[in-house]
Amino acid sequence: MLKQIIKKMPNIIKKPIINIYNSLPEAFRYGQTFNKTYKFLKLSERWSEEQHREYEMKKVKEIIKYSYENVPYYTRLFNERNIKPEYIQNFNDLKKIPYLTKEIIRNNLDDLISKIYNKKNLKYVTTGGSTGIPMGFYQDKDREQKIEWAYTANLWSRIGYDIKKSYKMVIIRGNMPKVGDYEYIGRNLILSSFNLIEDNMDNYIQKIIDFKPDFIQAYPSSISLLSKYIIDNNINMPLSNLKAIICASENLYDFQRKQLKQAFNTRVYSFYGHTEHSCLAGECEKSNYYHLQSEYGYTELINESGDDALLEDEAGEIVCTGFNNYVFPFIRYRTGDIAVNSNEKCICGRNYKLIKKIDGRRQDYFIDKTGSKVTFIYCDAALWEVKEKIYLYQYVQNELGRVVLYIQCRDEFTKEDKMCVIREFKRFYPRFDIELYFTDHIEKTKMGKFRYLVQNINMEVN
């Protein structure tokens, strides 16, 4: 009711009230659902491994039973496969249920909505499309936002975030300021990642210094551009309050982590999540391993043979079953994201399943003429000899075995420079042909991210 009253107010009154509200700590702003979830997570993070597994199985059974009874797609699927909810008694039994893919979701959108909910009261959301065509689905936005923030704040608590305090946060993500390149919302400074260009770097840097943030939250591709500029120009960043740089929504690569530490002289923290809210993992205060949140969803790592990736350092696709979205359940959902397995135990003492790293979205590979995947390494090794002449670069693949490299230059390339890039690229990727194109501008995605590789070959397997 309060939200509806505020919504009807004139902007001159509404805006200050919204700013005051956004300045409040989460513990006060998000209410009972948030606080109850956060309190639960503070207890569960010290569970034994057995307790985590028991909880996961309990929640898996609950979402399967609910989905069979209330979601038309799952009712039909289970009946066609002669699967009853009571047949799922362990994690091996769960494999009887076929994968949920993005194509299935696109083709069965309405049938994946629970009959308990009125579609008119739901929020339609879309993924960013970084693994192909953007995909839409439904959420109970208000409830999910509160639960999601409780999980996020719990992850951030490992680097000093306190839900009872208000922090100053710089945000360099896909947010679009209403006017210009930046805006202040509550205690947040929003910097547009769309306008993160060389001519604007000094302006952004000065705004960050003047703002004196406690945290910076950013896309790795955005903050790494800024950090490279800081390093290249020997800029001092006097940010004594800065506790950490928080990276999410993209892979954080080792070279980017090193850049950020060097530029900002602070902890770099990464966590993995997605719009579908079915899998969540974050680093801890003791290591860079990702801890899979077993309270959030059940996660399988599936290798290319269709089996569980169980070996140390074995890569597998993240297939997840979410526990929080009863509006539009995701059961054995193929994310297209690749993770590297670890069987280690973290020295922090938490008993979460660990993954060593997120090794790339499915499109983060080159595809040779035989259709084989070749890992794409986000580094400028092939460009090392001419790096001073380059502002931005982007690889694009439209054909098997052939790559186009777009380069936005600081200084004009000579014929020798071009030959050097081609020669060095072929040294790393001998099975590929490459073409060079020079451009005045490289586009960011609709979500404001910068992609080092745009993979236009569809590798989605259904």
Side-chain angles (χ1 to χ4, degrees):
M1 186 180 296
L2 181 60
K3 287 183 178 179
Q4 292 302 316
I5 293 171
I6 294 172
K7 193 174 182 180
K8 294 177 182 178
M9 291 179 176
N11 284 333
I12 195 170
I13 300 174
K14 180 167 61 177
K15 189 172 180 180
I17 292 176
I18 291 174
N19 275 333
I20 291 170
Y21 172 79
N22 287 330
S23 297
L24 294 174
E26 279 87 347
F28 301 100
R29 192 169 8 139
Y30 288 123
Q32 185 176 3
T33 300
F34 172 91
N35 286 294
K36 182 179 178 182
T37 304
Y38 188 86
K39 184 177 180 181
F40 163 69
L41 292 172
K42 283 300 164 198
L43 294 172
S44 63
E45 71 176 358
R46 295 301 173 183
W47 280 350
S48 66
E49 186 176 349
E50 183 181 358
Q51 285 175 302
H52 280 293
R53 297 290 280 179
E54 287 176 354
Y55 183 82
E56 283 178 310
M57 196 65 242
K58 173 190 170 188
K59 298 301 286 186
V60 163
K61 289 179 179 179
E62 286 177 3
I63 196 69
I64 287 173
K65 184 175 187 297
Y66 172 88
S67 298
Y68 176 70
E69 293 174 351
N70 298 290
V71 181
Y73 169 79
Y74 287 113
T75 305
R76 184 173 70 248
L77 176 70
F78 282 28
N79 288 338
E80 288 173 353
R81 301 291 181 119
N82 193 29
I83 301 171
K84 301 293 183 186
E86 57 267 27
Y87 294 172
I88 311 301
Q89 292 299 316
N90 56 53
F91 295 114
N92 283 330
D93 291 340
L94 183 62
K95 296 182 185 298
K96 297 173 183 177
I97 302 173
Y99 297 124
L100 178 68
T101 67
K102 293 173 174 63
E103 184 172 342
I104 289 172
I105 291 170
R106 294 185 193 107
N107 294 336
N108 297 271
L109 187 63
D110 286 345
D111 281 351
L112 278 159
I113 304 171
S114 169
K115 295 183 294 186
I116 288 178
Y117 294 88
N118 186 333
K119 183 177 173 180
K120 294 180 181 179
N121 299 327
L122 301 176
K123 177 75 172 180
Y124 181 73
V125 296
T126 60
T127 64
S130 57
T131 55
I133 302 168
M135 181 191 74
F137 57 96
Y138 290 88
Q139 291 176 344
D140 179 349
K141 192 67 174 176
D142 186 58
R143 180 178 180 276
E144 280 210 46
Q145 183 186 35
K146 293 171 182 176
I147 292 174
E148 188 70 13
W149 266 112
Y151 275 92
T152 301
N154 179 57
L155 290 179
W156 292 0
S157 71
R158 299 170 187 174
I159 51 170
Y161 193 89
D162 186 340
I163 62 170
K164 295 181 180 179
K165 295 181 180 179
S166 292
Y167 293 108
K168 296 172 75 173
M169 180 92 68
V170 169
I171 299 175
I172 314 175
R173 290 174 55 85
N175 309 67
M176 283 293 289
K178 292 178 181 177
V179 179
D181 298 334
Y182 70 96
E183 68 176 329
Y184 297 92
I185 300 178
R187 291 174 64 82
N188 295 335
L189 168 59
I190 311 296
L191 297 176
S192 170
S193 59
F194 295 94
N195 294 319
L196 194 59
I197 58 177
E198 191 162 12
D199 290 346
N200 211 16
M201 293 289 188
D202 288 326
N203 179 36
Y204 274 25
I205 289 167
Q206 193 57 53
K207 283 195 169 18
I208 293 171
I209 292 172
D210 292 343
F211 188 65
K212 297 180 176 61
D214 299 293
F215 295 92
I216 296 175
Q217 187 186 168
Y219 290 145
S221 64
S222 297
I223 193 71
S224 65
L225 292 176
L226 191 63
S227 64
K228 187 176 187 304
Y229 183 87
I230 291 168
I231 294 166
D232 288 348
N233 292 276
N234 295 313
I235 298 172
N236 180 41
M237 298 296 289
L239 301 173
S240 58
N241 295 332
L242 187 62
K243 295 177 175 60
I245 296 173
I246 301 169
C247 294
S249 303
E250 295 176 333
N251 298 331
L252 176 66
Y253 295 93
D254 289 341
F255 83 94
Q256 293 173 324
R257 190 187 292 272
K258 290 176 183 176
Q259 273 185 349
L260 299 184
K261 285 183 178 179
Q262 183 179 345
F264 291 94
N265 191 31
T266 192
R267 166 75 193 260
V268 180
Y269 177 81
S270 178
F271 72 101
Y272 167 83
H274 52 199
T275 311
E276 296 90 323
H277 293 173
S278 298
C279 179
L280 185 68
E283 298 174 353
C284 77
E285 65 276 19
K286 299 289 187 181
S287 77
N288 294 138
Y289 284 102
Y290 288 85
H291 298 53
L292 280 168
Q293 294 291 141
S294 59
E295 310 93 336
Y296 191 89
Y298 173 65
T299 301
E300 305 167 68
L301 296 185
I302 305 297
N303 63 25
E304 291 190 344
S305 300
D307 300 318
D308 291 323
L310 299 175
L311 301 177
E312 189 72 21
D313 295 324
E314 185 178 5
E317 181 179 358
I318 294 175
V319 174
C320 50
T321 300
F323 297 157
N324 295 319
N325 186 355
Y326 277 69
V327 168
F328 198 100
F330 286 85
I331 298 176
R332 300 206 76 210
Y333 169 60
R334 294 190 65 164
T335 64
D337 298 342
I338 308 299
V340 176
N341 181 59
S342 176
N343 299 316
E344 299 291 332
K345 297 293 181 184
C346 186
I347 59 174
C348 72
R350 299 179 182 91
N351 289 298
Y352 293 117
K353 166 68 182 171
L354 300 182
I355 53 179
K356 192 159 289 185
K357 62 178 179 176
I358 307 297
D359 199 32
R361 305 276 182 175
R362 186 170 290 279
Q363 85 282 3
D364 291 339
Y365 298 90
F366 287 142
I367 310 297
D368 68 14
K369 291 179 181 178
T370 70
S372 299
K373 293 184 290 186
V374 179
T375 300
F376 171 72
I377 302 172
Y378 285 69
C379 67
D380 48 8
L383 306 170
W384 185 259
E385 297 296 327
V386 294
K387 65 178 183 176
E388 301 300 330
K389 292 187 174 184
I390 295 175
Y391 175 59
L392 283 179
Y393 65 91
Q394 183 178 73
Y395 291 94
V396 177
Q397 185 171 23
N398 299 311
E399 306 173 46
L400 296 178
R402 192 175 190 84
V403 175
V404 178
L405 173 59
Y406 290 90
I407 298 175
Q408 185 177 339
C409 295
R410 286 193 176 99
D411 297 313
E412 186 176 347
F413 266 45
T414 64
K415 182 179 179 180
E416 289 73 23
D417 291 335
K418 296 174 187 177
M419 293 301 295
C420 176
V421 171
I422 293 170
R423 183 181 65 249
E424 288 300 300
F425 177 86
K426 295 285 284 185
R427 188 161 69 89
F428 286 95
Y429 300 102
R431 302 204 303 274
F432 292 82
D433 295 321
I434 185 169
E435 293 178 73
L436 269 58
Y437 284 91
F438 296 89
T439 179
D440 293 328
H441 180 66
I442 294 178
E443 292 285 343
K444 295 183 175 68
T445 70
K446 291 181 179 179
M447 300 290 285
K449 300 178 186 178
F450 175 78
R451 299 206 61 81
Y452 290 94
L453 169 64
V454 176
Q455 178 54 270
N456 291 323
I457 296 174
N458 182 16
M459 288 174 284
E460 182 173 309
V461 180
N462 297 312

